[in-house]
Amino acid sequence: MGSGFCSHPRGFRLTGAAMSRRGHLAWFLAGLLLVLCGQSTDSFEVRVEGNSSEVGYGGTVLLNCSSSCPEAGAPRGLETSLSKERVSQGPGWVSVRLRNITEPLSDVLCYFYCFGERKVAAFRVLAYEFPQPQLTISSPNTSSNEMVAIKCFSAPSWPPGLKLRLHRSHWHPQAWEEGPISLELVAREEDDGAEFSCQAQLSLGNRTLTKSSPTATLRVTYQPRMDDRSCPPSQNWTEGQDETLRCWAWGNPRPHLECAKDREPFPAGVPRPVTRAHAGTYLCRATNPLGTTVRTVTVWVQSEPASHGTPRPGRPAAAPAHPGARSACPGGNATLGLDTPLAVTLGAGGGRWQSFRLLNVSQWSPGTATCYGRCGDTQVNASAGILVYRLPERVVLEPVAAVAVGESRNLTCRVVEVAPVGNLTVTLRRGAETLRTESFGAAEGSATVAVTHLLTVGPGDHGQDVTCHAELSLRPHGPLFARAAVPVKLSVFALPEPPQLRAPALLEAGTAANASCRLTGAFPAGDVHFAVTLAEQSLNVTVTAAGDVLTAVTTLAPAAPGPQELSCTATVATAARTARRQLHVYRFPLPVVELSPASAPAGSEVTVTCRAGVADPPAVRLQLRDADGGVLAEGPESPLELRLVARREDDGRQFGCRASLAIGDGAVTKDTEARLAVLYMPEMAASDCPANRTWLRGTRETLSCRAAGNPAPTVVCGRNGVTVSTGEPELVTRSRAGTYLCNATNALGTRSRQVTVRVEYEPTLTERGCPAHRTWVEGERRELGCRADGDPPPSTRCARDGAATRGRGSRAVSRADAGRYLCRATNKHGSAVRSVLVTVEYEPSIAETGCPARRLWVEGTPAELACAASGNPPPRVTCDKLGDNQDPPPVSPNVTRAHAGTYQCRATNTHGSALRNVTVAVEYSPAAVTLRVVPSANVSRGSSFSVECRAEGLPPPTYGWALPPAPNLRFAPDNRSVAVAAAAAANRGLYTCTASNRHGRRAGSVMVRVDGELEEGGNGKNGEKKGGGKGEK
């Protein structure tokens, strides 16, 4: 395989939708230049395809990059700045997903190397932004004749070129155009329910996207409506059939419809059997919250009896038109016929009946028609009269001109060419009220009749319908025909008094003023028209109503001076009233006041000039005035001058120039003012810059300092060379206290003033000034002092919780002073509280309660030599036994008799010591019981002896005996011994002595022999015998 670069790379063909674009020519050339020469191959292709070349902002595109290269494992890939992920791949192809595409235009390059030759295909991705179009309707719920603004708009798109159109239901599609689109629509009844939407279109090459806003519905409210289509004014019914009064109304809100005949309700749209009584005029009224409309309907009822035909209106006609004959002749052999002067033809017939048709009935009185029947030699006749009638050609109600309240007008109704007149009834009605009903006498043939009624009108008659109804009754053998004239609406008006015209008598040319034309009692107010003119020029007016008062307001703006006439004409129906007023229009320019110079240093001269312009009429008088209204100069000549020396007090002084123009019997005055500026150095008064300020910590204060001067001086305040703010309030801290220097400066110099700021603040109690813990020694002199920080200096008081305030000054400390105190520091801004704990120390003392001087212990029981002492700090207590160097017995389960004795206890702390002697007595149960027989335990008969008993114990024991009973026994007072006189045999035996105290008892025994008998148990010395065994407790 060779290496290096090819000078003439083999040609190849690239495919891909985006490669036709010029923007990728550079990539194409680069691909050509970088192709490495290698093994020669046949030409191969590289192709890149995507599911879409246009994608919404942030969307995803799936690309497939493939090649026809035969080399296995040929290197390939995609070059792009977009986020990508490989989906899958195979021999000669790779699939990649581009994610989160937000760049408007992105080029993706697919490349393959085939035996060292590189080819590229490009794919261009367009990320578009297509915002949702928006639609707004200013008043979605509106009334008829109200203006409604509709707007169709959208945010900008990418790429640009978004088109909009406003769509409305039942409209032809409009042309696309650049937005926004605005439509101002005067709402009409037919607009109710119209649906609007804003549609958007975005072109992306060969692809077009569309979007639409949510549909919005326009609701238009209007009064009820009825017309000839919804409520025909004339309706024909047939007697005996089911008929419906056809009348319905439309409106928004949906109206409620009520129909009535002769004030009796009759529902519309409900079928019901018809009788002749249903003929007549019906009044239908449709109502919704916006108003009411009324319509009259005339119903004609035709009847068709079994033996009569239907008449033909419009020409003379006979009833019946189809007479018939019937016979009861047996066998049906009767001959039936009809005698009449009219032409007759046979109609349908049967075995016993025959009908006849009367032709060309043209006579008003054709006489009778006789029907005969012959049955054999018998003839029977039956006669019937023929009534010829003509329906009215028309019913006409003559127009009624507008009529003033209280006046009268004739109402005339004409019924043209009707017969027979004797069967005619004509009724005149005003609304539902019957004004006149008239019938007519018999007359030959047809005729035109008229009915007249004189009506005096009132305000309530305005807008009422006058109706005329004609009824031609052929009852009982014929139908009832009814016909109505077109209703006439009454127009009633009132214009009782002329209008009142109010306008200024004097008016300056080139200015505007309002004029009003007030009219009271005019009726109907809605039909009143105002015409206002000034110098024969019509003016626009605005009319308002309050009760029966109408007011027309207009704006007067005459351009030229001179007298002009203002007129106001109020018109209603055929009446008109006019009011006039003369205006004086003048030209009067504003006077001029001049100060020379306008700004003067104090002590210099100033000239004040007052002059007037050209006026029409030219009758001007001038006054030069001071600010308080005092006249400084006056005269008819212009100008007026005044010279003065400027002083400090004149700074800001106002001078006025007043011009007065005489017009007729009145006058017009105009004023102009000018202010003199006197220049002087800054001045700071004590009231404008107080030298001493007192502030409260925590508030917000401004170091304000105002200075007078012209030009207005600049005030700067500072402390220690640092400028401070003098504009906005700042938080007051203690650091802001001190002395400030304020300088007021203008172009003429500088003035200074010192300002001292004192910052007051509420008290504080700290550990340094008021320690929370105090330790005193009993007997010393101490004061419970607490120093508080605050301004003004606070007063401090301390008191034990719940006790009186501790007095000031030092005093001897006692143990009662120990405890917790509440110290409160107070000034006018508040108070601070601190808790102080006082501890009192004192030397030890040992009292009887804590260290009893006598103790009683019991041998063999636990015991401790405890001795409690009081003192602060708590003392250490030690006890020593007097007479030996033994330590006090420790806690022991066995008290011995050696513990008995006197101890000295010593309590010691830093402030001294205390001594106390404690005597301990140890009690124990009896022990060492000893018996002794005196003189001996061997007693001769008749001699005397005694037995003595001794025992140790504390408390001292008591004694008891068990011995042989005998009458010669005598016990000692303490029962410690027993004496026997004249011993006998009864006195020999065992003598037992028992010693007892509260801790137990113990016994001892001795055997006494009488007459020389040996003593059992052995003899002791002198007959003594110690007790044996353990004592009992």
Side-chain angles (χ1 to χ4, degrees), residues 495-532:
L495 194 59
E497 58 185 50
Q500 299 175 7
L501 185 58
R502 297 178 180 177
L506 303 176
L507 187 59
E508 185 175 3
T511 63
N514 287 337
S516 65
C517 185
R518 180 188 176 104
L519 185 64
T520 304
F523 177 85
D527 294 344
V528 176
H529 298 281
F530 288 90
V532 179

Side-chain angles (χ1 to χ4, degrees), residues 908-964:
T908 306
N909 67 7
T910 57
H911 301 292
S913 61
L915 298 176
R916 187 173 181 83
N917 289 338
V918 177
T919 300
V920 176
V922 177
E923 294 185 349
Y924 50 92
S925 61
V929 177
T930 303
L931 282 84
R932 185 167 67 99
V933 181
V934 179
S936 172
N938 294 317
V939 178
S940 299
R941 188 183 297 271
S943 63
S944 296
F945 67 92
S946 64
V947 181
E948 297 177 354
C949 183
R950 295 181 180 177
E952 295 180 3
L954 192 67
T958 59
Y959 299 91
W961 294 90
L963 69 172

Side-chain angles (χ1 to χ4, degrees), residues 15 18 25 36 54 167 428 492 534 579 626 716 722 925 942:
T15 62
L25 180 58
L36 292 175
E54 295 90 15
H167 175 76
L428 279 172
V492 180
L534 177 63
D626 209 346
V716 177
V722 179
S925 61

Side-chain angles (χ1 to χ4, degrees), residues 252-290:
N252 191 10
R254 183 177 179 180
H256 174 67
L257 178 67
E258 292 181 343
C259 294
K261 178 177 181 292
D262 299 329
R263 299 186 179 179
E264 289 295 326
F266 192 93
V270 179
R272 59 173 58 200
V274 174
T275 66
R276 300 181 184 181
H278 287 124
T281 300
Y282 292 77
L283 188 68
C284 292
R285 183 185 304 271
T287 304
N288 71 5
L290 301 180

Side-chain angles (χ1 to χ4, degrees), residues 210-435:
T210 58
K211 282 188 178 182
S212 178
S213 69
T215 299
T217 303
L218 179 64
R219 296 298 180 188
V220 182
T221 58
Y222 54 93
Q223 294 183 355
R225 298 286 187 266
M226 291 187 288
D227 58 14
D228 289 351
R229 179 177 58 86
S230 68
C231 195
S234 179
Q235 302 182 25
N236 293 320
W237 293 356
T238 302
E239 183 179 23
Q241 296 185 5
D242 285 348
E243 299 282 1
T244 301
L245 181 61
R246 291 175 286 117
C247 193
W248 61 274
W250 71 95
N252 191 10
R254 183 177 179 180
H256 174 67
L257 178 67
E258 292 181 343
C259 294
K261 178 177 181 292
D262 299 329
R263 299 186 179 179
E264 289 295 326
F266 192 93
V270 179
R272 59 173 58 200
V274 174
T275 66
R276 300 181 184 181
H278 287 124
T281 300
Y282 292 77
L283 188 68
C284 292
R285 183 185 304 271
T287 304
N288 71 5
L290 301 180
T292 300
T293 186
V294 177
R295 191 171 179 86
T296 57
V297 178
T298 301
V299 174
W300 306 80
V301 178
Q302 297 181 1
S303 60
E304 192 172 9
S307 60
H308 294 78
T310 303
R312 298 179 182 178
R315 64 181 181 84
H322 297 276
R326 292 182 181 273
S327 170
C329 182
N333 295 321
T335 301
L336 300 175
L338 182 69
D339 289 334
T340 176
L342 302 175
V344 179
T345 62
L346 290 176
R352 296 184 178 182
W353 65 276
Q354 179 64 53
S355 66
F356 304 87
R357 181 182 297 276
L358 304 180
L359 304 176
N360 193 25
V361 180
S362 58
Q363 302 177 25
W364 289 111
S365 300
T368 60
T370 301
C371 174
Y372 62 86
R374 296 187 182 95
C375 184
D377 296 332
T378 303
Q379 178 173 325
V380 178
N381 298 329
S383 298
I386 298 176
L387 176 65
V388 180
Y389 67 95
R390 169 175 286 176
L391 297 179
E393 290 184 3
R394 61 186 181 276
V395 179
V396 180
L397 187 60
E398 294 184 357
V400 180
V403 57
V405 173
E407 294 185 358
S408 300
R409 288 286 188 275
N410 280 326
L411 305 178
T412 302
C413 179
R414 300 183 185 278
V415 184
V416 180
E417 294 302 324
V418 60
V421 175
N423 291 40
L424 179 67
T425 301
V426 179
T427 302
L428 279 172
R429 290 187 178 89
R430 176 182 55 193
E433 177 187 359
T434 299
L435 299 176

